[in-house]
């Protein structure tokens, strides 16, 4: 029985180390694995002592049994000694519950980490989309910027070309061009302007336009400058005089405009200067020639007037030797017509402007002469004149118009008021439109016969009115109700 017990104990002692060695080999991560091996050695040593107990039953080799027990004691003591400092370290090892809690926490952290990774992945995906969108946007912006840069380069090139053309045009212009400061200083001048005034660019840029302007022209120049600065006018042009460097005077035609800043404030003036001295000299010569011509024309008009008056006087004298009443009437009418022509030449002689005489004044004198010739009783026939102040005609228009009024008024005096009747003669000269005038001569006398047509009448006066109206490209309109009214419309030629 003793043998069997020791044998079973020995078997158990030897099997336990084997399982410990197997465990250590499989679990390399187990801490303090060497202690398992020492326990295995201790257990083997203990199992061997039991083997020796069975052995000594038949073989009394007690010295060997003692040796093995000594070895077992050594291994046991060594294991105990090694185990003593290991106990505190083993105690701090987590328990299964702690490991489970740690595992749970680790699992939660892992889940949270995975969720964070998923969120991060989603954010990264969104970021990639945004990066792609931003990249695409940046690409479009870069393309737009490149197009803008290209366009700007084209604009800059066009601007440089424009500036080059401006400089060329500025310095090679046939007229003087300058930039003038708001204080009147010459800021930039071209060569032509320097040639006009006789200064070099450096000399001129040290001066102002006021310094070289004739005093009589300076007030008007400064008035224009003030007007353009206040915005009342955009540009102005005037003829004025400059003093050249040598002190001589020149006439120039000046055109000025104002350049403003982007804020709207005045920046500087642009002045264009043209030398018109030769033209002014020619105009002076022409004016002198015209004045001389005017004197000669007035002398001609005066002589023509004198000759017409002589003819009128001769006709008047001739009437004294004519016995036939019809012939006398014809001579008197001719004398009156010539007197009318003499009167218009007298008006031309007295007029300050030979091309435009006061036609209204002429008509007043003409009608007064007719009233005197026909011996109209004072107050018997009244005269009503309404003459436009714009009725200023030249000789070519005044003579036919005067003769037309002469004939119409003569007919009214002869036929409209027979046997010294009383009444009114109305004369109107008015401007209509587009430089067209209308002459109205009317009376409230007996009027014209029914179905009267002056073109079919043998009267020289009616034929003369028709011919003179055609001469001035006019039209005749006749109305006869209580009296007669002639309307003659014609253009101002």
């Amino acid at each position: 029985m003793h043998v069997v017990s020791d044998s079973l104990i020995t078997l158990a002692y030897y099997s336990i180390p084997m399982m410990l060695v197997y465990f250590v080999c499989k679990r390399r991560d187990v801490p303090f694995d060497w202690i398992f091996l020492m326990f295995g050695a201790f257990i083997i040593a203990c199992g061997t002592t039991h083997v020796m107990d069975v052995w000594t039953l038949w073989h009394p080799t007690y010295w060997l049994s003692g040796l093995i027990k000594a070895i077992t004691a050594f291994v046991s003591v060594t294991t105990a000694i090694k185990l003593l400092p290991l106990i505190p370290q083993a105690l701090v090892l987590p328990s299964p519950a702690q490991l489970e809690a740690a595992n749970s926490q680790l699992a939660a952290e892992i889940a949270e980490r995975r969720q964070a990774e998923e969120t991060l992945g989603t954010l990264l995906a969104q970021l990639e989309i945004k990066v792609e969108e931003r990249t695409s946007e940046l690409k479009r912006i870069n393309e737009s910027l490149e197009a803008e840069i290209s366009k700007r380069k084209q604009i800059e090139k066009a601007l440089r070309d424009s500036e080059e053309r401006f400089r060329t045009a500025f310095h090679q212009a046939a007229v003087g061009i300058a930039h003038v400061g708001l204080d009147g200083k010459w800021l930039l001048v071209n060569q032509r302007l320097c040639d006009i005034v006789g200064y070099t660019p450096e000399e001129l840029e040290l001066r102002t336009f006021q310094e070289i302007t004739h005093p009589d022209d300076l007030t008007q120049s400064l008035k224009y400058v003030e007007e353009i600065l206040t915005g009342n006018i955009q540009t102005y042009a005037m003829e004025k005089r400059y003093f050249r460097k040598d002190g001589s005077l020149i006439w120039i035609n000046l055109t000025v405009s104002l350049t403003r800043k982007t804020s709207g404030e005045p920046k500087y003036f642009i002045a264009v200067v043209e030398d018109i001295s030769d033209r002014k000299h020619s105009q002076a010569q022409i004016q002198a020639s015209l004045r001389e011509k005017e004197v000669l024309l007035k002398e001609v008009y005066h002589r023509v007037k004198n000759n017409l008056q002589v003819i009128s006087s001769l006709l008047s004298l001739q009437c004294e030797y004519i016995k036939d009443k019809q012939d006398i009437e014809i001579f008197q009418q001719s004398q009156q017509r010539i007197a009318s022509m003499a009167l218009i030449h007298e008006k031309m002689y007295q007029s300050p402007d030979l091309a435009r005489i006061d036609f209204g004044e002429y008509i007043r004198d003409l009608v007064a002469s007719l009233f005197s010739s026909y011996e109209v009783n004072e107050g018997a026939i009244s005269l009503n004149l309404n003459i436009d102040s714009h009725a200023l005609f030249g000789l070519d228009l005044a003579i036919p118009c005067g003769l037309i009024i002469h004939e119409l008024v003569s007919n009214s005096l002869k036929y409209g008021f027979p046997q010294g009747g009383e009444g009114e003669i109305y004369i109107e000269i008015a401007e209509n439109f587009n430089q067209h005038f209308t002459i109205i001569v009317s009376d409230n006398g007996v009027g014209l016969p029914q179905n009267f047509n002056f073109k079919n009448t043998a009267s020289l006066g009616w034929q003369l009115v028709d011919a003179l109206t055609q001469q001035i490209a006019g039209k005749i309109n006749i109305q006869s109700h209580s009296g007669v009214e002639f309307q003659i419309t014609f253009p101002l030629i």
Side-chain angles (χ1 to χ4, degrees), residues 179-185 187 228-229 257-270:
H179 293 175
V180 183
L182 302 182
D183 57 355
K185 291 195 67 174
L187 304 178
I228 203 171
L229 285 174
S257 60
L258 179 63
T259 297
R260 296 182 180 272
K261 301 177 183 178
T262 54
S263 61
E265 297 179 0
K267 190 175 182 182
Y268 57 81
F269 297 101
I270 298 178

mmCIF file with all atom_site columns, all heavy atoms in Angstrom, residues 179-185 187 228-229 257-270:
data_model
loop_
_atom_site.group_PDB
_atom_site.id
_atom_site.type_symbol
_atom_site.label_atom_id
_atom_site.label_alt_id
_atom_site.label_comp_id
_atom_site.label_asym_id
_atom_site.label_entity_id
_atom_site.label_seq_id
_atom_site.pdbx_PDB_ins_code
_atom_site.Cartn_x
_atom_site.Cartn_y
_atom_site.Cartn_z
_atom_site.occupancy
_atom_site.B_iso_or_equiv
_atom_site.pdbx_formal_charge
_atom_site.auth_seq_id
_atom_site.auth_comp_id
_atom_site.auth_asym_id
_atom_site.auth_atom_id
_atom_site.pdbx_PDB_model_num
ATOM 1   N N   . HIS A 1 179 ? -1.323  120.974 -72.209 1.00 0.00 ? 179 HIS A N   1
ATOM 2   C CA  . HIS A 1 179 ? -2.023  120.715 -70.948 1.00 0.00 ? 179 HIS A CA  1
ATOM 3   C C   . HIS A 1 179 ? -1.756  121.914 -70.050 1.00 0.00 ? 179 HIS A C   1
ATOM 4   O O   . HIS A 1 179 ? -0.594  122.265 -69.809 1.00 0.00 ? 179 HIS A O   1
ATOM 5   C CB  . HIS A 1 179 ? -1.530  119.433 -70.292 1.00 0.00 ? 179 HIS A CB  1
ATOM 6   C CG  . HIS A 1 179 ? -1.880  118.199 -71.049 1.00 0.00 ? 179 HIS A CG  1
ATOM 7   N ND1 . HIS A 1 179 ? -1.456  116.940 -70.683 1.00 0.00 ? 179 HIS A ND1 1
ATOM 8   C CD2 . HIS A 1 179 ? -2.633  118.025 -72.166 1.00 0.00 ? 179 HIS A CD2 1
ATOM 9   C CE1 . HIS A 1 179 ? -1.919  116.050 -71.541 1.00 0.00 ? 179 HIS A CE1 1
ATOM 10  N NE2 . HIS A 1 179 ? -2.620  116.685 -72.447 1.00 0.00 ? 179 HIS A NE2 1
ATOM 11  N N   . VAL A 1 180 ? -2.833  122.512 -69.566 1.00 0.00 ? 180 VAL A N   1
ATOM 12  C CA  . VAL A 1 180 ? -2.704  123.736 -68.774 1.00 0.00 ? 180 VAL A CA  1
ATOM 13  C C   . VAL A 1 180 ? -3.278  123.477 -67.393 1.00 0.00 ? 180 VAL A C   1
ATOM 14  O O   . VAL A 1 180 ? -4.390  122.956 -67.245 1.00 0.00 ? 180 VAL A O   1
ATOM 15  C CB  . VAL A 1 180 ? -3.444  124.912 -69.447 1.00 0.00 ? 180 VAL A CB  1
ATOM 16  C CG1 . VAL A 1 180 ? -3.227  126.190 -68.643 1.00 0.00 ? 180 VAL A CG1 1
ATOM 17  C CG2 . VAL A 1 180 ? -2.950  125.089 -70.875 1.00 0.00 ? 180 VAL A CG2 1
ATOM 18  N N   . GLY A 1 181 ? -2.521  123.837 -66.351 1.00 0.00 ? 181 GLY A N   1
ATOM 19  C CA  . GLY A 1 181 ? -2.977  123.644 -64.980 1.00 0.00 ? 181 GLY A CA  1
ATOM 20  C C   . GLY A 1 181 ? -4.142  124.553 -64.640 1.00 0.00 ? 181 GLY A C   1
ATOM 21  O O   . GLY A 1 181 ? -4.445  125.530 -65.343 1.00 0.00 ? 181 GLY A O   1
ATOM 22  N N   . LEU A 1 182 ? -4.796  124.234 -63.524 1.00 0.00 ? 182 LEU A N   1
ATOM 23  C CA  . LEU A 1 182 ? -5.943  125.031 -63.091 1.00 0.00 ? 182 LEU A CA  1
ATOM 24  C C   . LEU A 1 182 ? -5.535  126.452 -62.738 1.00 0.00 ? 182 LEU A C   1
ATOM 25  O O   . LEU A 1 182 ? -6.377  127.364 -62.742 1.00 0.00 ? 182 LEU A O   1
ATOM 26  C CB  . LEU A 1 182 ? -6.618  124.360 -61.886 1.00 0.00 ? 182 LEU A CB  1
ATOM 27  C CG  . LEU A 1 182 ? -7.105  122.920 -62.107 1.00 0.00 ? 182 LEU A CG  1
ATOM 28  C CD1 . LEU A 1 182 ? -7.790  122.409 -60.855 1.00 0.00 ? 182 LEU A CD1 1
ATOM 29  C CD2 . LEU A 1 182 ? -8.037  122.827 -63.303 1.00 0.00 ? 182 LEU A CD2 1
ATOM 30  N N   . ASP A 1 183 ? -4.251  126.658 -62.429 1.00 0.00 ? 183 ASP A N   1
ATOM 31  C CA  . ASP A 1 183 ? -3.747  127.999 -62.124 1.00 0.00 ? 183 ASP A CA  1
ATOM 32  C C   . ASP A 1 183 ? -3.235  128.719 -63.365 1.00 0.00 ? 183 ASP A C   1
ATOM 33  O O   . ASP A 1 183 ? -2.746  129.842 -63.268 1.00 0.00 ? 183 ASP A O   1
ATOM 34  C CB  . ASP A 1 183 ? -2.629  127.922 -61.085 1.00 0.00 ? 183 ASP A CB  1
ATOM 35  C CG  . ASP A 1 183 ? -1.476  127.013 -61.543 1.00 0.00 ? 183 ASP A CG  1
ATOM 36  O OD1 . ASP A 1 183 ? -1.611  126.384 -62.617 1.00 0.00 ? 183 ASP A OD1 1
ATOM 37  O OD2 . ASP A 1 183 ? -0.463  126.925 -60.825 1.00 0.00 ? 183 ASP A OD2 1
ATOM 38  N N   . GLY A 1 184 ? -3.355  128.072 -64.530 1.00 0.00 ? 184 GLY A N   1
ATOM 39  C CA  . GLY A 1 184 ? -2.938  128.715 -65.774 1.00 0.00 ? 184 GLY A CA  1
ATOM 40  C C   . GLY A 1 184 ? -1.542  128.365 -66.230 1.00 0.00 ? 184 GLY A C   1
ATOM 41  O O   . GLY A 1 184 ? -1.110  128.799 -67.307 1.00 0.00 ? 184 GLY A O   1
ATOM 42  N N   . LYS A 1 185 ? -0.805  127.553 -65.479 1.00 0.00 ? 185 LYS A N   1
ATOM 43  C CA  . LYS A 1 185 ? 0.564   127.206 -65.872 1.00 0.00 ? 185 LYS A CA  1
ATOM 44  C C   . LYS A 1 185 ? 0.546   126.201 -67.020 1.00 0.00 ? 185 LYS A C   1
ATOM 45  O O   . LYS A 1 185 ? -0.296  125.303 -67.076 1.00 0.00 ? 185 LYS A O   1
ATOM 46  C CB  . LYS A 1 185 ? 1.326   126.619 -64.686 1.00 0.00 ? 185 LYS A CB  1
ATOM 47  C CG  . LYS A 1 185 ? 1.646   127.626 -63.579 1.00 0.00 ? 185 LYS A CG  1
ATOM 48  C CD  . LYS A 1 185 ? 2.701   127.101 -62.625 1.00 0.00 ? 185 LYS A CD  1
ATOM 49  C CE  . LYS A 1 185 ? 4.051   126.952 -63.313 1.00 0.00 ? 185 LYS A CE  1
ATOM 50  N NZ  . LYS A 1 185 ? 5.124   126.579 -62.378 1.00 0.00 ? 185 LYS A NZ  1
ATOM 51  N N   . LEU A 1 187 ? 1.629   123.039 -68.442 1.00 0.00 ? 187 LEU A N   1
ATOM 52  C CA  . LEU A 1 187 ? 2.185   121.803 -67.890 1.00 0.00 ? 187 LEU A CA  1
ATOM 53  C C   . LEU A 1 187 ? 2.910   120.983 -68.948 1.00 0.00 ? 187 LEU A C   1
ATOM 54  O O   . LEU A 1 187 ? 3.962   120.411 -68.685 1.00 0.00 ? 187 LEU A O   1
ATOM 55  C CB  . LEU A 1 187 ? 1.052   120.962 -67.285 1.00 0.00 ? 187 LEU A CB  1
ATOM 56  C CG  . LEU A 1 187 ? 0.194   121.651 -66.213 1.00 0.00 ? 187 LEU A CG  1
ATOM 57  C CD1 . LEU A 1 187 ? -0.909  120.729 -65.758 1.00 0.00 ? 187 LEU A CD1 1
ATOM 58  C CD2 . LEU A 1 187 ? 1.064   122.087 -65.040 1.00 0.00 ? 187 LEU A CD2 1
ATOM 59  N N   . ILE A 1 228 ? -16.292 126.965 -67.201 1.00 0.00 ? 228 ILE A N   1
ATOM 60  C CA  . ILE A 1 228 ? -16.007 125.548 -67.446 1.00 0.00 ? 228 ILE A CA  1
ATOM 61  C C   . ILE A 1 228 ? -15.675 124.828 -66.139 1.00 0.00 ? 228 ILE A C   1
ATOM 62  O O   . ILE A 1 228 ? -15.995 123.645 -65.969 1.00 0.00 ? 228 ILE A O   1
ATOM 63  C CB  . ILE A 1 228 ? -14.869 125.403 -68.483 1.00 0.00 ? 228 ILE A CB  1
ATOM 64  C CG1 . ILE A 1 228 ? -14.935 124.027 -69.162 1.00 0.00 ? 228 ILE A CG1 1
ATOM 65  C CG2 . ILE A 1 228 ? -13.514 125.581 -67.884 1.00 0.00 ? 228 ILE A CG2 1
ATOM 66  C CD1 . ILE A 1 228 ? -14.000 123.877 -70.338 1.00 0.00 ? 228 ILE A CD1 1
ATOM 67  N N   . LEU A 1 229 ? -15.074 125.520 -65.171 1.00 0.00 ? 229 LEU A N   1
ATOM 68  C CA  . LEU A 1 229 ? -14.765 124.908 -63.878 1.00 0.00 ? 229 LEU A CA  1
ATOM 69  C C   . LEU A 1 229 ? -16.028 124.653 -63.066 1.00 0.00 ? 229 LEU A C   1
ATOM 70  O O   . LEU A 1 229 ? -16.120 123.667 -62.330 1.00 0.00 ? 229 LEU A O   1
ATOM 71  C CB  . LEU A 1 229 ? -13.807 125.797 -63.078 1.00 0.00 ? 229 LEU A CB  1
ATOM 72  C CG  . LEU A 1 229 ? -12.343 125.790 -63.529 1.00 0.00 ? 229 LEU A CG  1
ATOM 73  C CD1 . LEU A 1 229 ? -11.532 126.816 -62.751 1.00 0.00 ? 229 LEU A CD1 1
ATOM 74  C CD2 . LEU A 1 229 ? -11.727 124.408 -63.356 1.00 0.00 ? 229 LEU A CD2 1
ATOM 75  N N   . SER A 1 257 ? -10.961 122.475 -73.354 1.00 0.00 ? 257 SER A N   1
ATOM 76  C CA  . SER A 1 257 ? -11.831 121.537 -72.646 1.00 0.00 ? 257 SER A CA  1
ATOM 77  C C   . SER A 1 257 ? -11.157 121.166 -71.334 1.00 0.00 ? 257 SER A C   1
ATOM 78  O O   . SER A 1 257 ? -9.965  121.422 -71.137 1.00 0.00 ? 257 SER A O   1
ATOM 79  C CB  . SER A 1 257 ? -12.097 120.281 -73.483 1.00 0.00 ? 257 SER A CB  1
ATOM 80  O OG  . SER A 1 257 ? -10.880 119.618 -73.773 1.00 0.00 ? 257 SER A OG  1
ATOM 81  N N   . LEU A 1 258 ? -11.923 120.558 -70.434 1.00 0.00 ? 258 LEU A N   1
ATOM 82  C CA  . LEU A 1 258 ? -11.426 120.252 -69.083 1.00 0.00 ? 258 LEU A CA  1
ATOM 83  C C   . LEU A 1 258 ? -11.372 118.749 -68.874 1.00 0.00 ? 258 LEU A C   1
ATOM 84  O O   . LEU A 1 258 ? -12.330 118.034 -69.174 1.00 0.00 ? 258 LEU A O   1
ATOM 85  C CB  . LEU A 1 258 ? -12.337 120.885 -68.026 1.00 0.00 ? 258 LEU A CB  1
ATOM 86  C CG  . LEU A 1 258 ? -11.957 120.627 -66.561 1.00 0.00 ? 258 LEU A CG  1
ATOM 87  C CD1 . LEU A 1 258 ? -10.600 121.237 -66.250 1.00 0.00 ? 258 LEU A CD1 1
ATOM 88  C CD2 . LEU A 1 258 ? -13.016 121.177 -65.631 1.00 0.00 ? 258 LEU A CD2 1
ATOM 89  N N   . THR A 1 259 ? -10.232 118.271 -68.372 1.00 0.00 ? 259 THR A N   1
ATOM 90  C CA  . THR A 1 259 ? -10.089 116.868 -67.978 1.00 0.00 ? 259 THR A CA  1
ATOM 91  C C   . THR A 1 259 ? -10.299 116.764 -66.475 1.00 0.00 ? 259 THR A C   1
ATOM 92  O O   . THR A 1 259 ? -9.749  117.553 -65.711 1.00 0.00 ? 259 THR A O   1
ATOM 93  C CB  . THR A 1 259 ? -8.692  116.342 -68.346 1.00 0.00 ? 259 THR A CB  1
ATOM 94  O OG1 . THR A 1 259 ? -8.537  116.399 -69.769 1.00 0.00 ? 259 THR A OG1 1
ATOM 95  C CG2 . THR A 1 259 ? -8.527  114.902 -67.895 1.00 0.00 ? 259 THR A CG2 1
ATOM 96  N N   . ARG A 1 260 ? -11.096 115.772 -66.063 1.00 0.00 ? 260 ARG A N   1
ATOM 97  C CA  . ARG A 1 260 ? -11.400 115.613 -64.644 1.00 0.00 ? 260 ARG A CA  1
ATOM 98  C C   . ARG A 1 260 ? -10.833 114.299 -64.122 1.00 0.00 ? 260 ARG A C   1
ATOM 99  O O   . ARG A 1 260 ? -10.605 113.357 -64.878 1.00 0.00 ? 260 ARG A O   1
ATOM 100 C CB  . ARG A 1 260 ? -12.905 115.655 -64.394 1.00 0.00 ? 260 ARG A CB  1
ATOM 101 C CG  . ARG A 1 260 ? -13.542 117.002 -64.746 1.00 0.00 ? 260 ARG A CG  1
ATOM 102 C CD  . ARG A 1 260 ? -15.032 117.012 -64.429 1.00 0.00 ? 260 ARG A CD  1
ATOM 103 N NE  . ARG A 1 260 ? -15.638 118.289 -64.762 1.00 0.00 ? 260 ARG A NE  1
ATOM 104 C CZ  . ARG A 1 260 ? -15.694 119.319 -63.917 1.00 0.00 ? 260 ARG A CZ  1
ATOM 105 N NH1 . ARG A 1 260 ? -15.191 119.178 -62.691 1.00 0.00 ? 260 ARG A NH1 1
ATOM 106 N NH2 . ARG A 1 260 ? -16.250 120.457 -64.274 1.00 0.00 ? 260 ARG A NH2 1
ATOM 107 N N   . LYS A 1 261 ? -10.627 114.228 -62.799 1.00 0.00 ? 261 LYS A N   1
ATOM 108 C CA  . LYS A 1 261 ? -10.218 113.002 -62.149 1.00 0.00 ? 261 LYS A CA  1
ATOM 109 C C   . LYS A 1 261 ? -11.405 112.046 -62.068 1.00 0.00 ? 261 LYS A C   1
ATOM 110 O O   . LYS A 1 261 ? -12.543 112.428 -62.348 1.00 0.00 ? 261 LYS A O   1
ATOM 111 C CB  . LYS A 1 261 ? -9.702  113.301 -60.736 1.00 0.00 ? 261 LYS A CB  1
ATOM 112 C CG  . LYS A 1 261 ? -8.524  114.258 -60.696 1.00 0.00 ? 261 LYS A CG  1
ATOM 113 C CD  . LYS A 1 261 ? -8.133  114.560 -59.251 1.00 0.00 ? 261 LYS A CD  1
ATOM 114 C CE  . LYS A 1 261 ? -6.991  115.578 -59.190 1.00 0.00 ? 261 LYS A CE  1
ATOM 115 N NZ  . LYS A 1 261 ? -6.638  115.921 -57.794 1.00 0.00 ? 261 LYS A NZ  1
ATOM 116 N N   . THR A 1 262 ? -11.126 110.777 -61.696 1.00 0.00 ? 262 THR A N   1
ATOM 117 C CA  . THR A 1 262 ? -12.218 109.809 -61.563 1.00 0.00 ? 262 THR A CA  1
ATOM 118 C C   . THR A 1 262 ? -13.206 110.243 -60.489 1.00 0.00 ? 262 THR A C   1
ATOM 119 O O   . THR A 1 262 ? -14.383 109.883 -60.541 1.00 0.00 ? 262 THR A O   1
ATOM 120 C CB  . THR A 1 262 ? -11.652 108.424 -61.194 1.00 0.00 ? 262 THR A CB  1
ATOM 121 O OG1 . THR A 1 262 ? -10.824 108.543 -60.018 1.00 0.00 ? 262 THR A OG1 1
ATOM 122 C CG2 . THR A 1 262 ? -10.815 107.871 -62.337 1.00 0.00 ? 262 THR A CG2 1
ATOM 123 N N   . SER A 1 263 ? -12.756 111.042 -59.526 1.00 0.00 ? 263 SER A N   1
ATOM 124 C CA  . SER A 1 263 ? -13.653 111.539 -58.479 1.00 0.00 ? 263 SER A CA  1
ATOM 125 C C   . SER A 1 263 ? -14.510 112.699 -58.967 1.00 0.00 ? 263 SER A C   1
ATOM 126 O O   . SER A 1 263 ? -15.422 113.120 -58.266 1.00 0.00 ? 263 SER A O   1
ATOM 127 C CB  . SER A 1 263 ? -12.825 111.991 -57.271 1.00 0.00 ? 263 SER A CB  1
ATOM 128 O OG  . SER A 1 263 ? -11.933 113.041 -57.636 1.00 0.00 ? 263 SER A OG  1
ATOM 129 N N   . GLY A 1 264 ? -14.225 113.200 -60.163 1.00 0.00 ? 264 GLY A N   1
ATOM 130 C CA  . GLY A 1 264 ? -14.995 114.315 -60.708 1.00 0.00 ? 264 GLY A CA  1
ATOM 131 C C   . GLY A 1 264 ? -14.339 115.663 -60.518 1.00 0.00 ? 264 GLY A C   1
ATOM 132 O O   . GLY A 1 264 ? -14.806 116.659 -61.069 1.00 0.00 ? 264 GLY A O   1
ATOM 133 N N   . GLU A 1 265 ? -13.267 115.725 -59.756 1.00 0.00 ? 265 GLU A N   1
ATOM 134 C CA  . GLU A 1 265 ? -12.585 116.987 -59.531 1.00 0.00 ? 265 GLU A CA  1
ATOM 135 C C   . GLU A 1 265 ? -11.784 117.399 -60.772 1.00 0.00 ? 265 GLU A C   1
ATOM 136 O O   . GLU A 1 265 ? -11.244 116.551 -61.472 1.00 0.00 ? 265 GLU A O   1
ATOM 137 C CB  . GLU A 1 265 ? -11.642 116.867 -58.327 1.00 0.00 ? 265 GLU A CB  1
ATOM 138 C CG  . GLU A 1 265 ? -12.353 116.568 -57.016 1.00 0.00 ? 265 GLU A CG  1
ATOM 139 C CD  . GLU A 1 265 ? -11.372 116.439 -55.866 1.00 0.00 ? 265 GLU A CD  1
ATOM 140 O OE1 . GLU A 1 265 ? -10.151 116.583 -56.112 1.00 0.00 ? 265 GLU A OE1 1
ATOM 141 O OE2 . GLU A 1 265 ? -11.823 116.181 -54.736 1.00 0.00 ? 265 GLU A OE2 1
ATOM 142 N N   . PRO A 1 266 ? -11.716 118.704 -61.046 1.00 0.00 ? 266 PRO A N   1
ATOM 143 C CA  . PRO A 1 266 ? -10.937 119.171 -62.206 1.00 0.00 ? 266 PRO A CA  1
ATOM 144 C C   . PRO A 1 266 ? -9.472  118.757 -62.086 1.00 0.00 ? 266 PRO A C   1
ATOM 145 O O   . PRO A 1 266 ? -8.896  118.787 -60.993 1.00 0.00 ? 266 PRO A O   1
ATOM 146 C CB  . PRO A 1 266 ? -11.099 120.697 -62.145 1.00 0.00 ? 266 PRO A CB  1
ATOM 147 C CG  . PRO A 1 266 ? -12.346 120.920 -61.352 1.00 0.00 ? 266 PRO A CG  1
ATOM 148 C CD  . PRO A 1 266 ? -12.405 119.804 -60.356 1.00 0.00 ? 266 PRO A CD  1
ATOM 149 N N   . LYS A 1 267 ? -8.889  118.354 -63.234 1.00 0.00 ? 267 LYS A N   1
ATOM 150 C CA  . LYS A 1 267 ? -7.498  117.906 -63.246 1.00 0.00 ? 267 LYS A CA  1
ATOM 151 C C   . LYS A 1 267 ? -6.620  118.907 -63.982 1.00 0.00 ? 267 LYS A C   1
ATOM 152 O O   . LYS A 1 267 ? -5.715  119.493 -63.395 1.00 0.00 ? 267 LYS A O   1
ATOM 153 C CB  . LYS A 1 267 ? -7.412  116.532 -63.900 1.00 0.00 ? 267 LYS A CB  1
ATOM 154 C CG  . LYS A 1 267 ? -6.056  115.856 -63.766 1.00 0.00 ? 267 LYS A CG  1
ATOM 155 C CD  . LYS A 1 267 ? -6.112  114.439 -64.335 1.00 0.00 ? 267 LYS A CD  1
ATOM 156 C CE  . LYS A 1 267 ? -4.793  113.716 -64.179 1.00 0.00 ? 267 LYS A CE  1
ATOM 157 N NZ  . LYS A 1 267 ? -4.836  112.352 -64.771 1.00 0.00 ? 267 LYS A NZ  1
ATOM 158 N N   . TYR A 1 268 ? -6.889  119.114 -65.261 1.00 0.00 ? 268 TYR A N   1
ATOM 159 C CA  . TYR A 1 268 ? -6.165  120.119 -66.026 1.00 0.00 ? 268 TYR A CA  1
ATOM 160 C C   . TYR A 1 268 ? -6.954  120.413 -67.302 1.00 0.00 ? 268 TYR A C   1
ATOM 161 O O   . TYR A 1 268 ? -7.876  119.682 -67.675 1.00 0.00 ? 268 TYR A O   1
ATOM 162 C CB  . TYR A 1 268 ? -4.736  119.677 -66.377 1.00 0.00 ? 268 TYR A CB  1
ATOM 163 C CG  . TYR A 1 268 ? -4.648  118.372 -67.141 1.00 0.00 ? 268 TYR A CG  1
ATOM 164 C CD1 . TYR A 1 268 ? -4.847  118.322 -68.517 1.00 0.00 ? 268 TYR A CD1 1
ATOM 165 C CD2 . TYR A 1 268 ? -4.350  117.183 -66.482 1.00 0.00 ? 268 TYR A CD2 1
ATOM 166 C CE1 . TYR A 1 268 ? -4.761  117.127 -69.215 1.00 0.00 ? 268 TYR A CE1 1
ATOM 167 C CE2 . TYR A 1 268 ? -4.270  115.986 -67.154 1.00 0.00 ? 268 TYR A CE2 1
ATOM 168 C CZ  . TYR A 1 268 ? -4.472  115.971 -68.526 1.00 0.00 ? 268 TYR A CZ  1
ATOM 169 O OH  . TYR A 1 268 ? -4.398  114.788 -69.215 1.00 0.00 ? 268 TYR A OH  1
ATOM 170 N N   . PHE A 1 269 ? -6.587  121.513 -67.969 1.00 0.00 ? 269 PHE A N   1
ATOM 171 C CA  . PHE A 1 269 ? -7.225  121.912 -69.218 1.00 0.00 ? 269 PHE A CA  1
ATOM 172 C C   . PHE A 1 269 ? -6.433  121.349 -70.403 1.00 0.00 ? 269 PHE A C   1
ATOM 173 O O   . PHE A 1 269 ? -5.214  121.182 -70.320 1.00 0.00 ? 269 PHE A O   1
ATOM 174 C CB  . PHE A 1 269 ? -7.293  123.434 -69.348 1.00 0.00 ? 269 PHE A CB  1
ATOM 175 C CG  . PHE A 1 269 ? -8.122  124.108 -68.293 1.00 0.00 ? 269 PHE A CG  1
ATOM 176 C CD1 . PHE A 1 269 ? -7.528  124.733 -67.220 1.00 0.00 ? 269 PHE A CD1 1
ATOM 177 C CD2 . PHE A 1 269 ? -9.504  124.101 -68.378 1.00 0.00 ? 269 PHE A CD2 1
ATOM 178 C CE1 . PHE A 1 269 ? -8.278  125.359 -66.244 1.00 0.00 ? 269 PHE A CE1 1
ATOM 179 C CE2 . PHE A 1 269 ? -10.285 124.724 -67.416 1.00 0.00 ? 269 PHE A CE2 1
ATOM 180 C CZ  . PHE A 1 269 ? -9.660  125.352 -66.336 1.00 0.00 ? 269 PHE A CZ  1
ATOM 181 N N   . ILE A 1 270 ? -7.157  121.053 -71.474 1.00 0.00 ? 270 ILE A N   1
ATOM 182 C CA  . ILE A 1 270 ? -6.523  120.725 -72.751 1.00 0.00 ? 270 ILE A CA  1
ATOM 183 C C   . ILE A 1 270 ? -6.816  121.882 -73.703 1.00 0.00 ? 270 ILE A C   1
ATOM 184 O O   . ILE A 1 270 ? -7.981  122.193 -73.969 1.00 0.00 ? 270 ILE A O   1
ATOM 185 C CB  . ILE A 1 270 ? -7.049  119.408 -73.331 1.00 0.00 ? 270 ILE A CB  1
ATOM 186 C CG1 . ILE A 1 270 ? -6.714  118.246 -72.386 1.00 0.00 ? 270 ILE A CG1 1
ATOM 187 C CG2 . ILE A 1 270 ? -6.444  119.152 -74.711 1.00 0.00 ? 270 ILE A CG2 1
ATOM 188 C CD1 . ILE A 1 270 ? -7.241  116.905 -72.865 1.00 0.00 ? 270 ILE A CD1 1
#
